[in-house]
Amino acid sequence: MAIRACGSARWAFKVSEWRPSMEELMLACSCIQEEEKQRLAKFVFREDFNSSLMGRLMMRKFIADATAVPYDAIILGRDEKGKPFWSNPSGSDRRVDFNVSHQGDYCVLAGCVSQERATATKIGVDIMKMEYTGGKPLSEFFRLMTRNFSPSEWACIKSRKSNEAQLVFLDGNYDAKWKFEESLIDSQHCVAVSLLDTPANYVPVPFERISFEQLMDGAKALLEIDEIYCHNIQRKEYKS
């Protein structure tokens, strides 16, 4: 896993295959902030806990690798909409933006790095497992979806070919400042990335699968090992 020369990262962690040992869990839980540790403990099912934990670790890893700021000096906050952000970037000559998403088998991160003096790129990511469980015929599903797009958006959707670049609409109007990428993680999961104000030399970056060992490379504990906390987490049931 690496930060590309163009200042971007696309990482995918297959959470469904991660059934951590007690030692791995204790290590991972010591590398997040106390308030996040307590928030994650509220999840009922283990899959949700694991996915959210991986998201926090991916954010810390990305910032540390992108900026060379010590791992245990990074502080993550949340904005008014609940989106995580790096809250203590003073002293760094770089600006970073990142977003995580998890659904199905994966947790993904999309991140970008900009020089402080440059316009910072903004980024969003969303992963979706390609399955339909709505309980209605697909024709009814698409009929209901009609209200979610403006007439101009539907005209664009119906007229476009599969190999054409994606457009972004805001409030029904085409916004040329945004770029939109779609790709497959595997045959059952697709991921979309949205970018605002990308540099002129930007090229799309493919997602790469990462392992727990890669994710924890360079990690430093923020908290003391909490065996009682981790034993309680280990008792949470998996959905499947």
Side-chain angles (χ1 to χ4, degrees):
M1 58 192 294
I3 308 297
R4 306 280 176 144
C6 58
S8 297
R10 305 286 186 274
W11 298 339
F13 183 87
K14 196 166 186 179
V15 186
S16 63
E17 293 182 349
W18 187 55
R19 297 291 174 102
S21 66
M22 186 64 175
E23 289 72 20
E24 289 177 332
L25 184 62
M26 289 191 295
L27 172 61
C29 291
S30 71
C31 293
I32 61 174
Q33 294 164 202
E34 178 64 33
E35 68 273 14
E36 290 299 329
K37 176 182 161 184
Q38 298 308 319
R39 185 182 68 84
L40 297 183
K42 297 177 182 179
F43 284 111
V44 174
F45 293 107
R46 186 63 186 275
E47 289 96 337
D48 299 325
F49 175 91
N50 288 353
S51 295
S52 292
L53 175 60
M54 284 301 105
R56 306 307 292 185
L57 294 172
M58 291 170 83
M59 288 184 267
R60 301 192 71 85
K61 174 69 171 173
F62 172 68
I63 296 170
D65 285 2
T67 66
V69 170
Y71 188 97
D72 53 352
I74 295 166
I75 300 176
L76 296 172
R78 289 179 180 269
D79 64 19
E80 65 278 1
K81 295 182 179 180
K83 181 182 184 292
F85 70 99
W86 182 22
S87 66
N88 65 328
S90 59
S92 174
D93 63 350
R94 296 183 176 186
R95 298 178 64 179
V96 301
D97 193 31
F98 52 85
N99 197 217
V100 298
S101 176
H102 51 85
Q103 190 188 50
D105 297 337
Y106 289 92
C107 180
V108 297
L109 174 140
C112 54
V113 186
S114 308
Q115 294 298 322
E116 187 70 27
R117 64 181 179 273
T119 301
T121 300
K122 294 185 182 297
I123 195 165
V125 67
D126 194 22
I127 186 169
M128 182 176 68
K129 187 171 184 180
M130 295 183 293
E131 60 181 0
Y132 180 66
T133 59
K136 296 182 176 67
L138 282 177
S139 59
E140 176 66 5
F141 173 78
F142 283 110
R143 186 189 69 80
L144 295 172
M145 283 293 292
T146 300
R147 70 189 70 172
N148 294 325
F149 296 97
S150 68
S152 60
E153 289 171 333
W154 273 117
C156 180
I157 291 169
K158 293 177 180 179
S159 67
R160 299 192 68 78
K161 298 177 182 178
S162 60
N163 61 348
E164 290 183 311
Q166 300 298 311
L167 300 181
V168 173
F169 286 83
L170 295 177
D171 299 323
N173 299 311
Y174 169 56
D175 191 329
K177 294 181 179 179
W178 284 91
K179 288 184 172 62
F180 188 73
E181 303 168 1
E182 288 183 321
S183 58
L184 293 175
I185 300 295
D186 60 22
S187 62
Q188 294 183 309
H189 297 79
C190 63
V191 62
V193 177
S194 57
L195 304 106
L196 175 66
D197 294 328
T198 53
N201 63 344
Y202 174 80
V203 293
V205 178
F207 277 82
E208 60 177 318
R209 290 274 299 272
I210 63 172
S211 66
F212 179 72
E213 290 73 23
Q214 289 175 304
L215 190 57
M216 300 308 295
D217 182 32
K220 295 182 180 179
L222 285 69
L223 307 172
E224 296 290 333
I225 295 293
D226 190 339
E227 292 190 30
I228 295 176
Y229 175 91
C230 291
H231 277 298
N232 288 334
I233 297 302
Q234 291 283 54
R235 286 200 288 265
K236 291 181 182 288
E237 294 184 356
Y238 285 92
K239 299 174 188 176
S240 58

